[in-house]
Coordinates of all heavy atoms in Angstrom, one line a residue:
M229 N 165.8 56.1 -56.1 CA 164.8 55.8 -57.2 C 163.5 55.3 -56.5 O 163.5 54.6 -55.6 CB 165.4 54.7 -58.1 CG 164.6 54.4 -59.3 SD 165.2 53.1 -60.5 CE 166.9 53.4 -60.5
A230 N 162.4 55.8 -57.0 CA 161.2 55.4 -56.5 C 160.8 54.0 -56.8 O 161.4 53.3 -57.7 CB 160.1 56.3 -57.1
S231 N 159.9 53.4 -56.0 CA 159.6 52.0 -56.1 C 159.0 51.6 -57.5 O 159.4 50.6 -58.1 CB 158.5 51.7 -55.0 OG 158.0 50.4 -55.2
V232 N 158.2 52.5 -58.1 CA 157.6 52.2 -59.4 C 158.8 52.1 -60.4 O 158.9 51.2 -61.2 CB 156.6 53.3 -59.8 CG1 156.2 53.2 -61.3 CG2 155.4 53.2 -58.9
A233 N 159.6 53.2 -60.4 CA 160.8 53.2 -61.4 C 161.7 52.0 -61.2 O 162.1 51.4 -62.2 CB 161.5 54.5 -61.3
A234 N 161.9 51.6 -59.9 CA 162.8 50.5 -59.7 C 162.2 49.2 -60.2 O 163.0 48.4 -60.8 CB 163.0 50.3 -58.1
K235 N 160.9 49.0 -60.1 CA 160.3 47.8 -60.6 C 160.3 47.8 -62.1 O 160.6 46.8 -62.7 CB 158.8 47.7 -60.1 CG 158.7 47.4 -58.7 CD 157.2 47.3 -58.3 CE 157.1 47.2 -56.8 NZ 155.7 47.3 -56.4
V236 N 160.1 48.9 -62.7 CA 160.1 49.0 -64.2 C 161.5 48.8 -64.7 O 161.8 48.0 -65.6 CB 159.6 50.4 -64.7 CG1 160.0 50.6 -66.1 CG2 158.1 50.6 -64.5
M237 N 162.5 49.3 -64.1 CA 163.9 49.2 -64.5 C 164.4 47.8 -64.4 O 165.1 47.3 -65.2 CB 164.8 50.2 -63.8 CG 164.4 51.7 -64.0 SD 164.1 52.1 -65.8 CE 165.7 51.8 -66.5
S238 N 164.0 47.1 -63.4 CA 164.4 45.7 -63.2 C 163.8 44.8 -64.3 O 164.5 43.9 -64.8 CB 164.0 45.2 -61.8 OG 162.7 45.0 -61.7
T239 N 162.6 45.2 -64.8 CA 162.0 44.4 -65.9 C 162.6 44.7 -67.2 O 162.9 43.9 -68.0 CB 160.5 44.7 -65.9 OG1 159.9 44.3 -64.7 CG2 159.8 43.9 -67.0
V240 N 162.9 46.0 -67.4 CA 163.5 46.5 -68.7 C 165.0 46.2 -68.8 O 165.4 45.8 -69.9 CB 163.2 48.0 -68.9 CG1 163.9 48.5 -70.0 CG2 161.7 48.2 -69.0
S241 N 165.7 46.4 -67.7 CA 167.2 46.3 -67.8 C 167.7 44.9 -67.7 O 168.6 44.5 -68.4 CB 167.8 47.2 -66.8 OG 167.5 48.5 -67.0
A242 N 167.2 44.2 -66.6 CA 167.8 42.9 -66.3 C 167.9 41.8 -67.5 O 169.0 41.3 -67.8 CB 167.2 42.3 -65.1
P243 N 166.8 41.6 -68.1 CA 166.8 40.5 -69.1 C 167.7 40.8 -70.3 O 168.2 39.9 -71.0 CB 165.4 40.3 -69.5 CG 164.6 41.0 -68.5 CD 165.4 42.1 -67.9
Y244 N 167.8 42.0 -70.6 CA 168.5 42.4 -71.9 C 169.9 43.1 -71.7 O 170.6 43.4 -72.6 CB 167.6 43.4 -72.7 CG 166.3 42.8 -73.0 CD1 165.2 43.2 -72.3 CD2 166.1 41.8 -74.0 CE1 163.9 42.6 -72.5 CE2 164.9 41.2 -74.2 CZ 163.8 41.6 -73.5 OH 162.6 41.0 -73.7
G245 N 170.2 43.3 -70.4 CA 171.5 43.9 -70.1 C 171.5 45.4 -70.7 O 172.6 45.8 -71.0
V246 N 170.4 46.0 -70.7 CA 170.3 47.4 -71.2 C 170.6 48.3 -70.1 O 170.1 48.3 -69.1 CB 168.9 47.7 -71.8 CG1 168.8 49.1 -72.2 CG2 168.5 46.7 -72.9
L247 N 171.6 49.2 -70.3 CA 172.0 50.2 -69.4 C 171.3 51.5 -69.7 O 171.8 52.3 -70.5 CB 173.5 50.3 -69.3 CG 174.3 49.1 -69.0 CD1 175.8 49.4 -69.1 CD2 174.0 48.6 -67.5
V248 N 170.2 51.7 -69.1 CA 169.4 52.9 -69.3 C 168.8 53.3 -67.9 O 168.5 52.5 -67.1 CB 168.3 52.7 -70.3 CG1 167.3 51.6 -69.8 CG2 167.6 53.9 -70.7
T249 N 168.8 54.6 -67.6 CA 168.3 55.1 -66.4 C 166.8 55.3 -66.6 O 166.2 55.3 -67.7 CB 168.9 56.5 -66.0 OG1 168.5 57.5 -67.1 CG2 170.4 56.5 -66.0
A250 N 166.1 55.5 -65.5 CA 164.6 55.8 -65.5 C 164.3 57.0 -66.3 O 163.4 57.0 -67.1 CB 164.1 55.9 -64.1
A251 N 165.1 58.1 -66.1 CA 164.9 59.3 -66.9 C 165.1 59.0 -68.4 O 164.4 59.6 -69.2 CB 165.8 60.4 -66.4
E252 N 166.1 58.3 -68.7 CA 166.4 58.0 -70.2 C 165.2 57.2 -70.8 O 164.8 57.4 -71.9 CB 167.7 57.3 -70.4 CG 168.9 58.1 -70.1 CD 170.2 57.3 -70.0 OE1 170.2 56.1 -69.7 OE2 171.2 58.0 -70.2
L253 N 164.7 56.2 -70.0 CA 163.7 55.4 -70.5 C 162.4 56.2 -70.6 O 161.7 56.1 -71.6 CB 163.4 54.2 -69.5 CG 162.2 53.3 -69.9 CD1 162.5 52.6 -71.3 CD2 161.9 52.3 -68.8
A254 N 162.1 57.1 -69.7 CA 161.0 58.0 -69.8 C 161.0 58.8 -71.1 O 160.0 59.0 -71.8 CB 161.0 59.0 -68.6
E255 N 162.2 59.3 -71.4 CA 162.4 60.1 -72.7 C 162.1 59.2 -73.9 O 161.5 59.6 -74.9 CB 163.8 60.6 -72.8 CG 164.0 61.8 -71.9 CD 165.4 62.4 -72.0 OE1 166.1 62.2 -73.1 OE2 165.9 62.9 -71.0
K256 N 162.7 58.0 -73.9 CA 162.6 57.0 -75.0 C 161.1 56.6 -75.3 O 160.8 56.4 -76.4 CB 163.4 55.8 -74.8 CG 165.0 56.1 -74.8 CD 165.7 54.8 -74.5 CE 167.2 55.0 -74.8 NZ 167.8 54.0 -75.6
I257 N 160.4 56.3 -74.2 CA 159.0 55.8 -74.4 C 158.1 56.9 -75.0 O 157.0 56.6 -75.5 CB 158.4 55.2 -73.1 CG1 158.2 56.3 -72.0 CG2 159.2 54.0 -72.6 CD1 157.4 55.8 -70.8
A258 N 158.5 58.1 -75.0 CA 157.7 59.2 -75.6 C 158.3 59.7 -76.9 O 157.8 60.7 -77.5 CB 157.7 60.4 -74.6
D259 N 159.3 59.0 -77.4 CA 160.0 59.5 -78.6 C 159.8 58.4 -79.7 O 160.2 57.3 -79.7 CB 161.5 59.6 -78.4 CG 162.3 60.2 -79.6 OD1 161.7 60.3 -80.7 OD2 163.4 60.5 -79.4
I260 N 159.0 58.9 -80.8 CA 158.7 57.9 -81.9 C 159.9 57.3 -82.6 O 159.8 56.3 -83.1 CB 157.8 58.7 -83.0 CG1 157.0 57.7 -83.8 CG2 158.6 59.6 -83.8 CD1 156.0 56.9 -83.1
K261 N 161.1 58.0 -82.4 CA 162.3 57.5 -83.0 C 162.7 56.1 -82.3 O 163.3 55.3 -82.9 CB 163.4 58.5 -82.9 CG 163.3 59.7 -83.7 CD 164.4 60.7 -83.6 CE 164.1 61.9 -84.4 NZ 165.2 63.0 -84.0
S262 N 162.2 55.9 -81.1 CA 162.5 54.7 -80.4 C 161.8 53.5 -81.2 O 162.4 52.4 -81.2 CB 161.9 54.7 -79.0 OG 162.6 55.7 -78.3
A263 N 160.7 53.7 -81.7 CA 159.9 52.7 -82.5 C 160.6 52.5 -83.8 O 160.8 51.4 -84.3 CB 158.5 53.0 -82.6
E264 N 161.0 53.6 -84.4 CA 161.6 53.5 -85.8 C 163.0 52.8 -85.7 O 163.4 52.1 -86.6 CB 161.8 55.0 -86.3 CG 160.5 55.6 -86.6 CD 160.7 57.1 -86.9 OE1 161.7 57.7 -86.7 OE2 159.6 57.7 -87.2
S265 N 163.7 52.9 -84.5 CA 165.0 52.2 -84.3 C 164.8 50.9 -83.6 O 165.8 50.2 -83.3 CB 165.9 53.1 -83.6 OG 165.5 53.2 -82.2
C266 N 163.6 50.5 -83.3 CA 163.2 49.2 -82.6 C 164.0 49.2 -81.3 O 164.6 48.1 -81.0 CB 163.5 48.0 -83.5 SG 162.5 48.0 -85.0
D267 N 164.0 50.2 -80.5 CA 164.7 50.2 -79.2 C 164.2 49.1 -78.3 O 163.0 49.1 -78.0 CB 164.5 51.6 -78.6 CG 165.3 51.8 -77.3 OD1 165.1 51.1 -76.3 OD2 166.3 52.6 -77.4
C268 N 165.1 48.2 -77.9 CA 164.6 47.0 -77.1 C 164.2 47.4 -75.7 O 163.3 46.7 -75.2 CB 165.7 45.9 -77.1 SG 167.2 46.5 -76.2
S269 N 164.7 48.4 -75.1 CA 164.2 48.8 -73.8 C 162.8 49.4 -73.8 O 162.0 49.1 -72.9 CB 165.2 49.9 -73.2 OG 165.2 51.0 -73.9
V270 N 162.5 50.1 -74.9 CA 161.1 50.6 -75.0 C 160.2 49.5 -75.3 O 159.1 49.4 -74.7 CB 161.0 51.7 -76.1 CG1 159.6 52.2 -76.3 CG2 162.0 52.9 -75.8
F271 N 160.6 48.6 -76.2 CA 159.7 47.4 -76.5 C 159.4 46.6 -75.2 O 158.4 46.2 -74.9 CB 160.2 46.6 -77.6 CG 159.3 45.5 -78.0 CD1 158.0 45.8 -78.6 CD2 159.5 44.2 -77.8 CE1 157.1 44.8 -78.9 CE2 158.7 43.2 -78.1 CZ 157.5 43.5 -78.7
A272 N 160.5 46.4 -74.4 CA 160.4 45.7 -73.2 C 159.4 46.4 -72.2 O 158.5 45.7 -71.6 CB 161.7 45.5 -72.5
F273 N 159.5 47.7 -72.1 CA 158.6 48.4 -71.3 C 157.1 48.2 -71.8 O 156.3 48.0 -71.0 CB 158.9 49.9 -71.3 CG 157.9 50.8 -70.6 CD1 158.0 51.0 -69.2 CD2 156.9 51.5 -71.3 CE1 157.0 51.7 -68.6 CE2 156.0 52.3 -70.7 CZ 156.0 52.4 -69.3
L274 N 156.9 48.4 -73.1 CA 155.6 48.3 -73.6 C 155.0 46.9 -73.6 O 153.8 46.7 -73.6 CB 155.6 48.8 -75.0 CG 155.9 50.3 -75.2 CD1 156.1 50.7 -76.6 CD2 154.8 51.1 -74.5
S275 N 155.9 45.9 -73.7 CA 155.3 44.5 -73.8 C 155.5 43.6 -72.6 O 154.8 42.7 -72.4 CB 156.0 43.8 -75.0 OG 157.4 43.7 -74.7
E276 N 156.4 44.0 -71.6 CA 156.7 43.1 -70.5 C 156.3 43.7 -69.1 O 156.2 43.0 -68.2 CB 158.1 42.7 -70.5 CG 158.5 41.9 -71.7 CD 159.9 41.4 -71.8 OE1 160.5 41.3 -70.8 OE2 160.4 41.1 -72.9
V277 N 156.2 45.0 -69.1 CA 155.8 45.7 -67.9 C 154.2 45.7 -67.8 O 153.6 45.9 -68.8 CB 156.3 47.1 -67.8 CG1 155.8 47.9 -66.6 CG2 157.9 47.1 -67.8
S278 N 153.7 45.4 -66.6 CA 152.2 45.3 -66.5 C 151.6 46.7 -66.9 O 152.2 47.7 -66.6 CB 151.8 44.9 -65.1 OG 152.0 46.0 -64.2
P279 N 150.4 46.7 -67.5 CA 149.8 48.0 -67.8 C 149.6 48.9 -66.6 O 149.9 50.1 -66.8 CB 148.5 47.6 -68.4 CG 148.7 46.2 -69.0 CD 149.7 45.6 -68.0
K280 N 149.3 48.4 -65.5 CA 149.2 49.2 -64.3 C 150.5 49.9 -63.9 O 150.5 51.1 -63.6 CB 148.7 48.4 -63.1 CG 148.5 49.2 -61.8 CD 148.0 48.3 -60.7 CE 147.8 49.1 -59.4 NZ 147.4 48.3 -58.3
L281 N 151.6 49.1 -64.0 CA 152.9 49.7 -63.7 C 153.3 50.7 -64.8 O 154.0 51.7 -64.5 CB 153.9 48.6 -63.5 CG 155.2 48.9 -62.8 CD1 155.0 49.5 -61.4 CD2 156.0 47.6 -62.7
Q282 N 153.0 50.4 -66.0 CA 153.3 51.3 -67.1 C 152.6 52.7 -66.8 O 153.3 53.7 -66.9 CB 152.7 50.8 -68.5 CG 153.5 49.6 -69.0 CD 152.8 49.1 -70.3 OE1 151.7 49.5 -70.6 NE2 153.5 48.2 -71.0
H283 N 151.4 52.7 -66.5 CA 150.7 54.0 -66.2 C 151.3 54.7 -65.0 O 151.4 55.9 -65.0 CB 149.2 53.7 -66.0 CG 148.4 53.4 -67.2 ND1 148.2 54.3 -68.2 CD2 147.9 52.2 -67.7 CE1 147.5 53.7 -69.2 NE2 147.4 52.4 -68.9
S284 N 151.6 53.9 -63.9 CA 152.2 54.5 -62.8 C 153.6 55.2 -63.1 O 153.9 56.3 -62.7 CB 152.5 53.5 -61.7 OG 151.2 53.0 -61.2
F285 N 154.4 54.5 -64.0 CA 155.7 55.0 -64.4 C 155.5 56.3 -65.2 O 156.2 57.3 -65.0 CB 156.5 53.9 -65.2 CG 157.8 54.4 -65.6 CD1 158.9 54.3 -64.7 CD2 158.1 54.8 -66.9 CE1 160.2 54.7 -65.2 CE2 159.3 55.2 -67.3 CZ 160.4 55.2 -66.5
I286 N 154.6 56.3 -66.2 CA 154.3 57.4 -67.0 C 153.9 58.6 -66.1 O 154.4 59.7 -66.3 CB 153.2 57.1 -68.0 CG1 153.8 56.2 -69.1 CG2 152.7 58.4 -68.6 CD1 152.7 55.5 -69.9
D287 N 153.0 58.4 -65.1 CA 152.6 59.4 -64.2 C 153.8 59.9 -63.4 O 154.0 61.2 -63.2 CB 151.5 58.9 -63.3 CG 150.2 58.7 -64.0 OD1 150.0 59.3 -65.2 OD2 149.3 58.0 -63.5
E288 N 154.5 59.0 -62.8 CA 155.6 59.4 -61.9 C 156.7 60.1 -62.6 O 157.3 61.1 -62.1 CB 156.2 58.0 -61.3 CG 157.4 58.3 -60.3 CD 157.9 57.0 -59.7 OE1 157.1 56.5 -58.8 OE2 158.9 56.6 -60.0
M289 N 157.0 59.8 -63.9 CA 158.1 60.4 -64.7 C 157.5 61.6 -65.5 O 158.3 62.2 -66.2 CB 158.7 59.4 -65.6 CG 159.3 58.2 -64.8 SD 160.6 58.7 -63.6 CE 161.9 59.2 -64.7
N290 N 156.2 62.0 -65.4 CA 155.6 63.1 -66.1 C 155.9 63.0 -67.6 O 156.3 64.0 -68.2 CB 156.2 64.4 -65.5 CG 155.8 64.6 -64.0 OD1 154.7 64.4 -63.7 ND2 156.8 65.0 -63.3
V291 N 155.5 61.9 -68.1 CA 155.7 61.6 -69.5 C 154.3 61.9 -70.2 O 153.2 61.6 -69.7 CB 156.2 60.2 -69.8 CG1 156.3 59.9 -71.3 CG2 157.5 59.9 -69.1
S292 N 154.4 62.4 -71.4 CA 153.1 62.7 -72.2 C 152.5 61.3 -72.5 O 153.0 60.5 -73.2 CB 153.5 63.4 -73.4 OG 152.3 63.4 -74.3
K293 N 151.3 61.1 -72.1 CA 150.5 59.9 -72.4 C 150.2 59.8 -73.9 O 150.3 58.7 -74.5 CB 149.2 59.9 -71.6 CG 149.5 59.7 -70.1 CD 148.2 59.7 -69.3 CE 148.6 59.6 -67.8 NZ 147.5 59.8 -66.9
D294 N 149.9 60.9 -74.5 CA 149.7 60.9 -75.9 C 150.9 60.5 -76.7 O 150.9 59.7 -77.7 CB 149.3 62.3 -76.5 CG 147.9 62.7 -75.9 OD1 147.1 61.8 -75.6 OD2 147.6 63.9 -75.9
A295 N 152.1 60.9 -76.3 CA 153.4 60.6 -77.0 C 153.6 59.1 -76.8 O 154.0 58.4 -77.7 CB 154.5 61.4 -76.4
V296 N 153.4 58.5 -75.6 CA 153.6 57.1 -75.3 C 152.6 56.3 -76.1 O 153.0 55.3 -76.7 CB 153.5 56.8 -73.8 CG1 153.7 55.3 -73.6 CG2 154.6 57.6 -73.1
T297 N 151.4 56.7 -76.2 CA 150.4 56.0 -77.0 C 150.9 55.9 -78.5 O 150.7 54.9 -79.1 CB 149.1 56.7 -76.9 OG1 148.6 56.6 -75.6 CG2 148.0 56.0 -77.8
A298 N 151.4 57.0 -79.0 CA 151.9 57.0 -80.4 C 153.0 56.0 -80.6 O 153.0 55.3 -81.6 CB 152.3 58.4 -80.8
V299 N 153.9 56.0 -79.7 CA 155.0 55.1 -79.7 C 154.5 53.6 -79.6 O 154.9 52.7 -80.4 CB 156.1 55.4 -78.7 CG1 157.2 54.3 -78.6 CG2 156.7 56.7 -78.9
A300 N 153.6 53.4 -78.7 CA 153.0 52.0 -78.5 C 152.3 51.6 -79.8 O 152.4 50.4 -80.2 CB 152.1 52.0 -77.3
R301 N 151.6 52.5 -80.4 CA 150.9 52.1 -81.7 C 151.9 51.7 -82.8 O 151.6 50.7 -83.5 CB 150.0 53.3 -82.2 CG 148.8 53.5 -81.4 CD 148.0 54.7 -81.9 NE 146.8 54.8 -81.1 CZ 146.1 55.9 -80.9 NH1 146.6 57.0 -81.5 NH2 145.1 56.0 -80.2
K302 N 153.0 52.4 -82.9 CA 154.0 52.1 -83.9 C 154.6 50.8 -83.6 O 154.8 49.9 -84.5 CB 155.1 53.2 -83.9 CG 156.2 53.0 -84.9 CD 155.7 53.2 -86.3 CE 156.9 53.2 -87.3 NZ 156.5 53.2 -88.7
F303 N 154.9 50.5 -82.3 CA 155.5 49.2 -81.9 C 154.4 48.1 -82.2 O 154.8 47.0 -82.6 CB 156.0 49.2 -80.5 CG 157.4 49.5 -80.3 CD1 157.8 50.7 -79.8 CD2 158.4 48.6 -80.7 CE1 159.2 51.0 -79.6 CE2 159.8 48.9 -80.5 CZ 160.1 50.1 -80.0
S304 N 153.2 48.4 -81.9 CA 152.1 47.4 -82.2 C 152.1 47.0 -83.6 O 152.0 45.8 -84.0 CB 150.8 47.9 -81.8 OG 150.6 47.9 -80.4
D305 N 152.2 48.0 -84.5 CA 152.3 47.8 -86.0 C 153.4 46.9 -86.3 O 153.3 46.0 -87.1 CB 152.3 49.1 -86.7 CG 151.0 49.9 -86.6 OD1 150.0 49.3 -86.2 OD2 151.0 51.1 -87.0
L306 N 154.6 47.2 -85.7 CA 155.8 46.4 -86.0 C 155.8 45.0 -85.5 O 156.2 44.1 -86.1 CB 157.0 47.2 -85.4 CG 157.4 48.5 -86.1 CD1 158.4 49.2 -85.2 CD2 157.9 48.3 -87.5
A307 N 155.2 44.9 -84.3 CA 155.1 43.5 -83.6 C 154.0 42.7 -84.3 O 154.1 41.5 -84.1 CB 154.9 43.7 -82.2
G308 N 153.0 43.3 -84.8 CA 151.8 42.6 -85.3 C 150.8 42.2 -84.3 O 149.9 41.4 -84.6
Y309 N 150.8 42.8 -83.1 CA 149.8 42.6 -82.1 C 149.6 43.8 -81.3 O 150.5 44.7 -81.2 CB 150.1 41.3 -81.3 CG 151.4 41.4 -80.4 CD1 151.4 41.9 -79.2 CD2 152.5 40.9 -81.0 CE1 152.6 41.9 -78.4 CE2 153.7 40.9 -80.3 CZ 153.7 41.5 -79.0 OH 154.9 41.5 -78.3
K310 N 148.5 44.0 -80.7 CA 148.2 45.2 -79.8 C 148.9 45.1 -78.5 O 148.9 44.2 -77.8 CB 146.7 45.3 -79.6 CG 145.9 45.9 -80.7 CD 146.3 47.3 -80.9 CE 145.4 48.0 -82.0 NZ 146.1 49.0 -82.6
L311 N 149.6 46.2 -78.2 CA 150.2 46.4 -76.9 C 149.3 47.2 -76.0 O 148.4 48.0 -76.6 CB 151.5 47.2 -77.1 CG 152.6 46.4 -77.9 CD1 153.7 47.4 -78.3 CD2 153.2 45.3 -77.0
P312 N 149.2 47.0 -74.7 CA 148.2 47.6 -73.9 C 148.1 49.2 -74.0 O 147.0 49.7 -73.9 CB 148.7 47.2 -72.4 CG 149.4 46.0 -72.7 CD 150.1 46.1 -74.0
L313 N 149.3 49.8 -74.2 CA 149.2 51.3 -74.3 C 148.8 51.8 -75.7 O 148.7 53.0 -75.9 CB 150.5 51.9 -73.8 CG 150.8 51.8 -72.3 CD1 152.1 52.4 -72.0 CD2 149.7 52.5 -71.5
A314 N 148.7 50.9 -76.6 CA 148.4 51.3 -78.1 C 146.9 51.4 -78.2 O 146.2 50.8 -79.1 CB 148.9 50.3 -79.0
I315 N 146.2 52.3 -77.4 CA 144.8 52.4 -77.4 C 144.3 53.4 -78.5 O 145.0 54.3 -78.9 CB 144.2 52.8 -76.1 CG1 145.3 53.6 -75.2 CG2 143.7 51.6 -75.4 CD1 144.8 54.1 -73.9

């Protein structure tokens, strides 16, 4: 696992005991259904991982930035505050 993915996964997985791989997280952060189901691993990624590391992970995992932005906007609406990727 690459350094960026390892850092992201330790932030997302450890506190919540979520068993998700980097590839699974990459899919989830680009899937609007993650916001609709309030997926805690996606919310942790969007709210607890630094914006710089978020962008690095998105690039490393070849995730659609537009899709992640849509998910972040939905989570921002649900949370009641702006998340860094909800631009």
Side-chain angles (χ1 to χ4, degrees):
M229 187 180 320
S231 174
V232 169
K235 289 177 186 176
V236 167
M237 297 315 297
S238 67
T239 301
V240 170
S241 298
Y244 303 101
V246 175
L247 299 175
V248 62
T249 67
E252 290 169 337
L253 181 62
E255 287 179 27
K256 288 177 175 230
I257 63 173
D259 186 349
I260 199 69
K261 291 178 185 172
S262 297
E264 294 167 357
S265 68
C266 299
D267 187 292
C268 65
S269 61
V270 176
F271 186 67
F273 174 81
L274 295 171
S275 63
E276 297 180 25
V277 174
S278 74
K280 181 179 178 182
L281 198 53
Q282 289 174 348
H283 287 286
S284 295
F285 182 79
I286 290 165
D287 290 342
E288 183 175 284
M289 300 302 291
N290 296 314
V291 179
S292 164
K293 292 176 185 174
D294 291 338
V296 177
T297 298
V299 173
R301 286 182 181 152
K302 181 72 171 172
F303 266 110
S304 284
D305 292 343
L306 293 169
Y309 61 91
K310 279 288 183 210
L311 295 165
L313 290 178
I315 25 178

